[in-house]
Amino acid sequence: MPDMRLIVAGAGGRMGRTLVRAIAETPGMTLAGATESEGSPFIGQDSGVLAGLPPNRVNVISEVRPGSLAADGIIDFTVPAATVALAALAAETKLVHIVGTTGTSAADDAKIAEAAKKTAIMKSGNMSLGINLLAVMTKKIAAALGDEFDIEIVEMHHNKKIDAPSGTALLFGEAAAAGRKIDLKSHSERGRDGHTGARKVGHIGFASLRGGNVAGEHSVIFAGADERIELTHKATDRMIFARGALKAALWARGKPPGLYSMLDVLGLKD
């Protein structure tokens, strides 16, 4: 089978540069294009050089138009508005779309799901194998323990991250809620401050920390009377997310239209 040709959206950002490096290191994959938002200072620059590699002659452009690049898929760790537009493009051109963007709204997710009726889209708050294994464990533990165990999710990221809680924290929250068979939106606590009153039984709490260059740290805490269970994952390099995204792209190649998750990719879905 020929190499899978991939476009990296947001190629000038931290994850974008990591993805460019990961593609260069991965047999069976070729960088077909690199994009940035209009007005970005990276437009016109060599994406290989931006990623700390020798020149690859794939210059960063402002947008992808149908038919403008020969590609099989788009890898997208950008911002919600860009992701929605790229999902529509992927649907029109039948490109595989791998989405690692976080902070999407319900309306954004509805548009992405609509696009997935026409092409394969894999969307996940985290592409790491370890994170997805912990999500499965979180669901099982939440199902096994009753409301006498409070669930708190703590996450920390670098000081440039723009959304909170992180997509991964929400991934864990959804897993815990599924285990408890409750709706996360109506059973969550965020941003406690001041006189909050006693903790509500059965709710899932979130705390977000920001500082330094932390790639990502997450803990799911089950706190009961006189005992506490903690699941923790620490990412020390963004390359783990890039490798997961490339694994997802290869998995999604040739798949029928649909909205998939990393649990599908890893064969962990119930």
Side-chain angles (χ1 to χ4, degrees), residues 7-251:
I7 298 167
V8 173
R14 297 181 182 193
M15 268 307 303
R17 298 182 193 206
T18 303
L19 284 162
V20 170
R21 291 199 304 273
I23 291 170
E25 295 170 3
T26 305
M29 294 196 153
T30 298
L31 183 66
T35 73
E36 263 295 341
S37 58
E38 192 168 346
S40 167
F42 303 118
I43 291 174
Q45 295 190 41
D46 185 284
S47 60
V49 173
L50 283 174
L53 301 171
N56 59 16
R57 299 182 182 179
V58 179
N59 289 347
V60 178
I61 59 176
S62 62
E63 64 177 315
V64 180
R65 296 183 179 87
S68 63
L69 293 174
D72 302 301
I74 303 172
I75 302 189
D76 168 18
F77 287 73
T78 57
V79 295
T83 291
V84 169
L86 287 170
L89 172 70
E92 182 180 352
T93 56
K94 302 300 184 289
L95 294 176
V96 167
H97 189 192
I98 306 302
V99 180
T101 302
T102 58
T104 53
S105 67
D108 295 331
D109 289 338
K111 292 174 183 176
I112 293 167
E114 186 64 26
K117 294 178 181 178
K118 296 181 180 179
T119 194
I121 297 180
M122 198 295 296
K123 183 177 185 296
S124 178
N126 196 296
M127 307 286 182
S128 150
L129 170 62
I131 285 291
N132 284 277
L133 286 171
L134 253 64
V136 172
M137 293 169 65
T138 295
K139 181 178 178 181
K140 290 183 181 297
I141 293 172
L145 300 176
D147 282 349
E148 64 271 20
F149 278 81
D150 299 319
I151 302 174
E152 293 285 323
I153 299 169
V154 181
E155 55 100 348
M156 182 170 185
H157 284 84
H158 55 86
N159 55 23
K160 300 296 190 295
K161 187 167 178 60
I162 61 174
D163 61 303
S166 69
T168 303
L170 293 173
L171 178 74
F172 286 140
E174 292 288 357
R180 288 271 171 94
K181 294 183 169 56
I182 58 175
D183 174 61
L184 180 63
K185 289 182 180 178
S186 59
H187 290 80
S188 64
E189 301 283 348
R190 304 185 190 183
R192 299 185 183 99
D193 185 40
H195 251 310
T196 62
R199 192 186 195 284
K200 294 179 182 177
V201 175
H203 277 218
I204 297 169
F206 292 86
S208 298
L209 312 180
R210 297 289 178 267
N213 64 348
V214 178
E217 296 183 3
H218 296 83
S219 292
V220 184
I221 303 166
F222 298 86
D226 305 317
E227 63 177 328
R228 189 166 71 240
I229 302 165
E230 297 186 12
L231 303 176
T232 297
H233 181 276
K234 295 183 180 182
T236 57
D237 194 315
R238 290 179 182 82
M239 188 59 78
I240 66 170
F241 311 128
R243 294 191 192 106
L246 298 190
K247 181 181 179 72
L250 287 172
W251 177 89

